[in-house]
Amino acid sequence: MSHKITTNWKGNMLFDSDNPSGHHVLMDTDVEGKAREGLSPKALMLSSLAGCSGLDVVSILDKMKIDNYDLKMEVDGLLTDEHPKYYHTVILDYHFTGKDLNQEKINRAVQLSIEKYCGVMEMFRRFAEVKTNVHFHNK
């Protein structure tokens, strides 16, 4: 299996990239005096990590018949000081909010994503230390 994307330069520092699903994302960077129109490519990697693991967790919890929660993920990527700058450490915090949360099943779902299913997390492990935390917030 392979994924193929096409990325087109749209002028200035703006790029439009498609996805095998047919959807598009705009990417750019800070340029003094110019409005930002897209997402930073590096930060988009962090979003991909959260999205990949989040999809796993929600799917696993659905199979466990757990549906009384809200999920928010925060990812902090720490960059190296020297070029080429890359994330040397990534911290992924899962925040579950709800009433009477089943912490055991939620922790199990998160662990399955981290250890078995999330391919983006495995890619990150190849170049960064990945730390994860699960937080529970009762309504």
Side-chain angles (χ1 to χ4, degrees):
M1 177 181 203
S2 79
H3 291 148
K4 181 179 180 181
I5 61 100
T6 302
T7 301
N8 292 297
W9 178 46
K10 304 306 268 182
N12 293 319
M13 298 299 280
L14 183 65
F15 288 83
D16 179 323
S17 189
D18 69 0
N19 184 283
S21 69
H23 296 284
H24 290 255
V25 64
L26 295 176
M27 296 177 289
D28 68 1
T29 192
D30 290 324
V31 176
E32 194 170 320
K34 301 271 185 194
R36 192 150 197 187
E37 298 180 60
L39 302 171
S40 158
K42 280 188 194 120
L44 192 55
M45 290 176 63
L46 300 178
S47 295
S48 294
L49 175 60
C52 179
S53 186
L55 289 167
D56 292 339
V57 169
V58 168
S59 175
I60 293 164
L61 289 174
D62 184 56
K63 290 175 183 159
M64 292 178 173
K65 307 291 189 221
I66 303 293
D67 61 4
N68 62 333
Y69 66 93
D70 290 319
L71 171 59
K72 174 178 79 173
M73 291 168 284
E74 297 174 324
V75 186
D76 189 13
L78 306 175
L79 289 166
T80 59
D81 292 329
E82 300 296 320
H83 289 282
K85 293 183 180 186
Y86 62 92
Y87 296 119
H88 62 81
T89 304
V90 175
I91 303 153
L92 173 52
D93 288 300
Y94 301 83
H95 292 270
F96 291 89
T97 303
K99 186 175 179 180
D100 300 322
L101 294 170
N102 187 326
Q103 294 185 16
E104 184 179 329
K105 286 187 177 183
I106 289 171
N107 279 324
R108 179 68 180 140
V110 170
Q111 283 308 114
L112 283 168
S113 175
I114 291 168
E115 296 171 4
K116 184 173 183 179
Y117 293 114
C118 183
V120 175
M121 188 161 309
E122 183 58 32
M123 285 187 256
F124 265 90
R125 281 192 198 100
R126 304 294 169 113
F127 59 85
E129 178 184 6
V130 179
K131 301 175 183 179
T132 58
N133 304 294
V134 179
H135 307 274
F136 295 100
H137 309 279
N138 289 313
K139 282 187 177 177

